[in-house]
Amino acid sequence: MAHSSFFPDEYFTCSSLCLSCGVGCKNSMNHGKEGVPHEAQNRCRYSHQYDNRIYTCKACYERGDEVSVVPKTSTSTDSPWMGLAKYAWSGYVIECPNCGGVYHSRQYWFGNKDPVDKVVRTEIVHVWPGAQ
């Protein structure tokens, strides 16, 4: 005998969809009020529109730490004006709080490697409505 449910899962699961890949959240309804973030079972895909790529320092990751890094116009030790001048000359910098400045986008006149090849690893994350 087949068992049928009067209440399908759609009535009890979160209705939010990832803006980048369209997959639905797997958590229960109103999980946000309990402080539980959105989750999905599938991996997301990169969308240039949402830039849903997170960089982590590769050296720290290999030591067991997961430290997020962000491309910036200047290092934390530069003054605003000095940082702007350095940005105009040598491009953006990726700085790790543990390792210091780990990447300069225009370190050489030509042949600069992509940071993903050398110093950072990337993770593609879901983009949930209202979480930007």
Side-chain angles (χ1 to χ4, degrees):
M1 177 176 227
H3 181 269
S4 63
S5 174
F6 291 111
F7 299 105
D9 287 342
E10 289 82 27
Y11 288 113
F12 299 110
T13 56
C14 180
S15 61
S16 292
L17 299 175
C18 173
L19 299 174
S20 180
C21 67
V23 72
C25 176
K26 70 175 188 171
N27 289 335
S28 63
M29 199 61 102
N30 295 324
H31 63 87
K33 292 179 182 176
E34 300 166 0
V36 178
H38 293 291
E39 289 183 74
Q41 293 177 353
N42 303 1
R43 297 186 82 180
C44 195
R45 67 173 176 257
Y46 178 71
S47 171
H48 184 71
Q49 176 183 1
Y50 298 109
D51 193 24
N52 56 331
R53 179 176 45 195
I54 293 178
Y55 291 131
T56 55
C57 177
K58 193 178 277 189
C60 291
Y61 181 78
E62 290 170 356
R63 286 193 306 265
D65 294 332
E66 196 160 337
V67 179
S68 293
V69 293
V70 181
K72 300 187 295 185
T73 57
S74 64
T75 62
S76 59
T77 58
D78 291 335
S79 69
W81 288 105
M82 181 59 93
L84 185 61
K86 283 184 178 180
Y87 173 71
W89 180 254
S90 62
Y92 67 89
V93 63
I94 297 177
E95 183 181 37
C96 172
N98 299 340
C99 304
V102 293
Y103 179 78
H104 296 272
S105 64
R106 288 187 239 147
Q107 186 169 4
Y108 307 109
W109 285 103
F110 63 92
N112 291 311
K113 301 262 189 217
D114 188 35
V116 176
D117 297 335
K118 294 179 74 174
V119 296
V120 297
R121 58 184 294 277
T122 59
E123 182 181 346
I124 309 300
V125 295
H126 291 283
V127 181
W128 301 106
Q132 292 140 344

